[in-house]
Amino acid sequence: MTDMSADTISVPAQWRAQHPTTPHLTGLLDYHTLYKESIHFPSTFWAKQARELLSFTQDFHTTSIGSLENGDNAWFVGGGLNACFNCVDRHAIQDPHRAALIYEPDDPADGSRIITYGELLRHVSRLAGVLRGRGVKKGDIVTIYMPMIPEAVMAVLACARIGAVHSVVFAGFSAEALGDRIQDANSAVVITTDEGRRGGRTISTKRVVDEAARECPQVTTVLVYKRTGADIPWMAGRDLWWDEEMKQYPAYTPPEVMDSEDYLFLLYTSGSTGKPKGVFHSTAGYLLGAAVTGKYVFDIHPQDRFFCSGDIGWITGHTYVVYAPLALGCTSIIFEGTPTYPSHTRFWEIVQKHACTHFYGAPTAFRLLKRSIAKENLQNIDTSQLRVLGSVGEPIAPEVWKWYYDFMGNENAVVTDTYWQTETGSHIIAACAGVTPMKPGSATLPCLGIDLAIIDPVTGEELKGNQVEGVLAIKQPWPSMARTIRGNHDRYMDSYFNVYKGYYFTGDAAFRDQDGYYWIRGRVDDVVNVSGHRLSTSEIEGAIIEHPGVAEAAIIGVPDELTGQAINAIVSLKNDQTPETTAKELVIKVRTTIGPFAAPKKVLVVRDLPKTRSGKIVRRILRKALTGENEFGDTSTLADPSVLDEILEAVASS
Ligand code: WT7
């Protein structure tokens, strides 16, 4: 890589000099050496990493078995370990007074709270006791519906401690969506709060759980952490107060030894079709993916204060709020609020207040902040401890990248744009902090052990060499890949492994440039990305179609300046409907079926949708109409081409 193209930004000269300790990688050559080893001798590489970064109580006898073709991968076979022990005990033993979590509440006036590794061990032990006391056993799935508070992290770790599988549901999901997930997971225990606070507003978590649990007769316990002290409905026998229960259990509970391949957690995500899928992640492989990427991508050291602004309800929060920072023994910042409350400089203030060394966020927030913040607003805020800035969730436009580099990091911190997915468990493509030369807009190079392929979508052949574009796939198994979809292994095979035999299919398109750098182009399936939230168009269509007044509906993701993509609904109604009222009802319908974040930004009511003679909705044409493209291509296949003019009119007047 001698002739890097002009758009490259090298690691700032002072980065190494100002490093508080010693970076994990000494230079790009280090990365290349490790990368080559990881691809050519994966067993040697991963076995070494696992033994170095994780503590096993029973060593594994086989590094990996299985293939992408058969979807039967297993890692560190025969090993025994506990994820909570790895994230809590071993640091508590070594250095009990080190901060594990720093809680930054929604309202800064409420003051922050530090929880040391020693304290975390006691809290998690007690909570593990509470769960056991309510009958939770190894392998049971516990549903967690909580705001971003330290107790949410404790809930996750307490499950891991006793070998229960956690299923965290984002606290923005509706009662119906939560109920579906509790039901699918067959959870008897749900952990929540009385209420939550976000951006100065109240979220009624307990009320949502109550409503969801009405449809879930197997729920015997709702454990409630008192966050606001509000008056809430109570079901005696089923509902329990966290604080009262905790007191009754000892401050040490031994961790359960788990098999490497036992499931650590379940997390629901949207697919291109049908219901959300519950993805299972393994204990050892997942945890190693978190630790390895935390170490090499983020260059995490135990002294660091790592601020990931992602929510624990999504994979970003699982891997980079909980597992990576804690497995590596640093301090993780738990931020309850939003980037704009009480003001647009909140992120900077938190970074200053806790002397954060890392910040990890999403382009959707950066775009919003970029609009509202001037350099002067940041003049008196000291963020000089920042060493690494991460971006995640969607492509970051070069001008947003440069803004982030400048406004957040003062061109002192490096930026790593991390490409990955719920199913990959940890980063797939990302710059290794301090060694990889950066290119604004590119996720840069593959992570250790990740063997990428660009495939021609038409021929299904792999495109070798550089300057190629196609669908992105992975051609070697890696430890943190999801192991199955709960109750539907067939769907797992069809979604990821049967699309191109021998490859893991990501669902994204990508370009590999002349330097071997990857540029993610976006999804090639019916998955849309709104503010970093992954949504399925067919799932939203499903919700809308349930409205009795709707004849037909299509959901289209259209580019949006702020949210990346926005949801537009195009519907035709049954005869007796008033368009305005129905449009409003449809927005409410999506909010209650899925959650507010999935609600259409626009609902267009039309007489009829463009369809083929066989009745199939032609989404391609709708997408073009909605994005203002005038070139529709061949419209002769439409049953009634005149609907097109009406749609264009509706778009114009919307
Ligand atoms: C999809 C996965 C991984 C945590 C957050 C989202 C898109 C994710 C990037 C990035 C371009 C990205 C992809 C991917 N995506 N990160 N850095 N650059 N696109 O997890 O909900 O499982 O969504 O998010 O389209 O397939 P997720």
Side-chain angles (χ1 to χ4, degrees):
M1 234 173 279
T2 40
D3 288 328
M4 290 289 285
S5 43
D7 51 355
T8 307
I9 297 180
S10 25
V11 175
Q14 68 278 22
W15 196 88
R16 276 178 178 275
Q18 288 171 359
H19 198 286
T21 53
T22 316
H24 289 304
L25 293 173
T26 50
L28 192 57
L29 189 64
D30 245 17
Y31 158 78
H32 283 302
T33 309
L34 273 175
Y35 182 73
K36 275 190 205 122
E37 184 198 336
S38 74
I39 299 303
H40 299 308
F41 309 100
S43 281
T44 321
F45 172 80
W46 285 117
K48 199 162 71 193
Q49 293 294 334
R51 292 195 177 107
E52 200 177 298
L53 293 173
L54 304 182
S55 304
F56 287 84
T57 45
Q58 161 82 46
D59 193 16
F60 51 90
H61 54 71
T62 305
T63 305
S64 89
I65 52 170
S67 67
L68 295 180
E69 189 145 1
N70 295 320
D72 55 349
N73 302 92
W75 286 85
F76 314 114
V77 185
L81 78 168
N82 183 282
C84 179
F85 177 89
N86 275 270
C87 290
V88 184
D89 302 44
R90 53 180 184 161
H91 316 304
I93 293 165
Q94 215 188 31
D95 188 5
H97 302 298
R98 190 188 308 157
L101 307 175
I102 296 179
Y103 166 50
E104 176 63 28
D106 186 49
D107 185 345
D110 289 346
S112 43
R113 178 152 64 100
I114 297 176
I115 293 139
T116 65
Y117 275 99
E119 287 164 344
L120 185 59
L121 178 56
R122 293 191 283 278
H123 288 302
V124 168
S125 282
R126 291 202 142 128
L127 187 56
V130 175
L131 295 177
R132 277 223 180 105
R134 293 302 284 188
V136 178
K137 286 190 278 309
K138 200 167 164 170
D140 290 350
I141 304 174
V142 172
T143 298
I144 298 170
Y145 187 77
M146 293 178 96
M148 279 294 286
I149 55 176
E151 287 70 22
V153 178
M154 293 172 197
V156 159
L157 293 168
C159 289
R161 193 161 192 87
I162 59 170
V165 175
H166 56 78
S167 169
V168 183
V169 178
F170 173 58
F173 275 108
S174 67
E176 195 176 325
L178 172 63
D180 287 348
R181 285 157 178 76
I182 296 174
Q183 204 57 20
D184 185 74
N186 195 28
S187 287
V189 175
V190 180
I191 309 180
T192 189
T193 55
D194 51 355
E195 289 180 334
R197 301 286 297 165
R198 225 172 153 262
R201 287 199 286 224
T202 298
I203 43 175
S204 310
T205 36
K206 173 65 161 61
R207 192 187 51 73
V208 175
V209 170
D210 284 342
E211 201 181 320
R214 246 182 265 148
E215 310 297 322
C216 309
Q218 83 283 8
V219 174
T220 55
T221 302
V222 175
L223 185 65
V224 188
Y225 177 77
K226 193 179 277 180
R227 166 62 186 88
T228 65
D231 247 343
I232 47 165
W234 203 253
M235 192 190 275
R238 187 198 69 176
D239 298 350
L240 302 171
W241 284 113
W242 171 295
D243 279 346
E244 283 170 21
E245 292 301 309
M246 292 280 274
K247 281 190 264 183
Q248 299 171 35
Y249 289 88
Y252 182 78
T253 299
E256 186 88 41
V257 178
M258 304 301 287
D259 187 277
S260 292
E261 278 298 312
D262 278 335
Y263 299 139
L264 178 60
F265 67 86
L266 175 69
L267 183 60
Y268 289 88
T269 187
S270 294
S272 47
T273 53
K275 286 197 315 165
K277 42 194 183 191
V279 161
F280 270 126
H281 275 286
S282 70
T283 301
Y286 168 81
L287 195 60
L288 184 63
V292 163
T293 53
K295 178 174 178 183
Y296 294 107
V297 172
F298 284 132
D299 185 48
I300 293 179
H301 293 257
Q303 310 62 9
D304 287 335
R305 288 156 308 276
F306 191 92
F307 178 13
C308 169
S309 63
D311 194 283
I312 199 170
W314 309 107
I315 190 70
T316 304
H318 281 65
T319 310
Y320 299 103
V321 172
V322 184
Y323 288 109
L326 299 186
L328 296 171
C330 79
T331 303
S332 182
I333 313 295
I334 314 297
F335 176 42
E336 189 179 26
T338 64
T340 54
Y341 179 80
S343 79
H344 285 75
T345 49
R346 186 73 194 271
F347 279 159
W348 286 263
E349 279 147 20
I350 297 172
V351 168
Q352 165 174 267
K353 185 165 167 192
H354 305 300
C356 297
T357 50
H358 295 72
F359 178 78
Y360 194 23
T364 185
F366 307 156
R367 287 190 296 266
L368 178 74
L369 299 173
K370 183 171 179 283
R371 281 185 176 186
S372 19
I373 286 177
K375 254 289 162 77
E376 299 86 79
N377 303 126
L378 305 173
Q379 235 163 30
N380 300 317
I381 310 183
D382 177 11
T383 57
S384 59
Q385 303 273 329
L386 276 177
R387 206 162 79 234
V388 186
L389 303 174
S391 175
V392 63
E394 50 179 320
I396 177 166
E399 71 274 14
V400 178
W401 192 106
K402 287 177 186 149
W403 172 88
Y404 188 38
Y405 185 56
D406 176 11
F407 274 60
M408 189 58 107
N410 274 313
E411 304 193 355
N412 272 319
V414 291
V415 172
T416 180
D417 171 13
T418 61
Y419 165 81
W420 58 298
Q421 309 175 305
T422 303
E423 296 87 339
T424 67
S426 54
H427 301 150
I428 289 300
I429 308 177
C432 289
V435 306
T436 312
M438 303 167 281
K439 287 193 196 192
S442 165
T444 78
L445 301 174
C447 293
L448 299 177
I450 305 299
D451 199 4
L452 296 173
I454 301 267
I455 294 178
D456 181 329
V458 181
T459 63
E461 297 296 318
E462 185 178 339
L463 299 168
K464 299 272 168 70
N466 288 342
Q467 306 260 45
V468 288
E469 180 147 0
V471 297
L472 183 68
I474 304 174
K475 51 181 174 177
Q476 260 188 44
W478 68 102
S480 70
M481 56 189 283
R483 296 296 191 265
T484 191
I485 292 173
R486 178 170 161 85
N488 203 343
H489 194 72
D490 255 9
R491 187 170 175 200
Y492 171 77
M493 293 307 293
D494 287 346
S495 310
Y496 312 113
F497 305 105
N498 294 340
V499 188
Y500 301 105
K501 267 288 169 205
Y503 296 88
Y504 167 89
F505 171 62
T506 63
D508 287 295
F511 169 65
R512 184 164 56 219
D513 75 8
Q514 70 274 21
D515 301 316
Y517 274 47
Y518 289 84
W519 300 74
I520 306 298
R521 303 290 199 219
R523 302 288 306 199
V524 294
D525 51 12
D526 293 325
V527 168
V528 286
N529 190 323
V530 179
S531 297
H533 295 315
R534 176 165 158 185
L535 300 165
S536 142
T537 53
S538 66
E539 194 185 339
I540 305 173
E541 278 166 19
I544 284 188
I545 281 294
E546 283 174 11
H547 186 288
V550 171
E552 281 180 308
I555 291 293
I556 308 285
V558 299
D560 186 277
E561 241 187 88
L562 221 51
T563 57
Q565 282 183 299
I567 298 293
N568 281 193
I570 300 117
V571 296
S572 63
L573 304 181
K574 292 180 185 157
N575 282 334
D576 52 341
Q577 299 293 311
T578 20
E580 292 74 30
T581 327
T582 316
K584 279 188 198 125
E585 284 168 8
L586 291 179
V587 173
I588 297 168
K589 184 76 182 58
V590 178
R591 292 175 72 97
T592 53
T593 310
I594 304 172
F597 57 90
K601 188 175 178 186
K602 217 190 249 184
V603 179
L604 289 182
V605 178
V606 295
R607 182 178 51 89
D608 199 6
L609 294 174
K611 278 171 293 186
T612 60
R613 283 183 196 93
S614 59
K616 200 168 163 339
I617 298 171
V618 190
R619 288 182 171 71
R620 169 181 57 87
I621 287 185
L622 284 173
R623 194 168 297 122
K624 289 189 170 175
L626 283 166
T627 50
E629 253 188 74
N630 299 320
E631 199 39 69
F632 291 104
D634 187 10
T635 54
S636 65
T637 51
L638 292 184
D640 175 7
S642 76
V643 298
L644 205 53
D645 291 333
E646 279 178 49
I647 290 169
L648 287 174
E649 244 170 65
V651 172
S653 59
S654 72

